[in-house]
Amino acid sequence: MNIDSKFENDERFFIMGSDNFKNIENWKDYDKLKKYNFIVLDRENKTETKDISSTVVRNYIKDKKDISEFIPNKVIKFIENNNLYF
């Protein structure tokens, strides 16, 4: 089943860092992202943040490594319950 059809009636979010958001208009096919609500995290402030990317998280999941240091348990459960990234 296609992820778009599985969640077609759900509100969708695209989470990214402010550093990437500044250049989003240069992304290939960025117009396709307009259907998402954006959550932009400030990576340029002085608070402590983890240097992590979605690619790293997906690779951890694929390799069956623990992602709890990056992702809250509630999100991990959602990923598991919806079979995302497996």
Side-chain angles (χ1 to χ4, degrees):
M1 173 180 272
N2 176 316
I3 192 90
D4 283 330
S5 62
K6 183 175 181 180
F7 299 104
E8 67 184 328
N9 295 321
D10 293 335
E11 190 172 11
R12 299 174 190 192
F13 294 88
F14 194 89
I15 303 170
M16 64 189 315
S18 59
D19 54 327
N20 285 317
F21 187 71
K22 288 179 185 177
N23 298 312
I24 197 165
E25 290 182 354
N26 296 324
W27 289 20
K28 180 183 177 196
D29 298 327
Y30 92 96
D31 283 343
K32 293 180 181 178
L33 297 174
K34 290 181 179 179
K35 63 184 172 186
Y36 296 96
N37 297 298
F38 281 83
I39 298 174
V40 180
L41 304 173
D42 183 10
R43 292 192 198 190
E44 297 175 359
N45 63 21
K46 301 295 181 199
T47 61
E48 182 181 332
T49 59
K50 292 192 182 269
D51 187 18
I52 188 69
S53 71
S54 58
T55 302
V56 170
V57 172
R58 283 192 304 272
N59 287 335
Y60 265 59
I61 291 170
K62 183 182 82 172
D63 295 337
K64 299 186 184 333
K65 293 182 181 177
D66 181 20
I67 59 170
S68 62
E69 68 180 282
F70 311 118
I71 308 291
N73 284 333
K74 194 173 189 177
V75 176
I76 293 171
K77 292 292 181 203
F78 181 85
I79 290 170
E80 291 170 350
N81 291 340
N82 291 284
N83 236 3
L84 303 178
Y85 310 122
F86 294 99

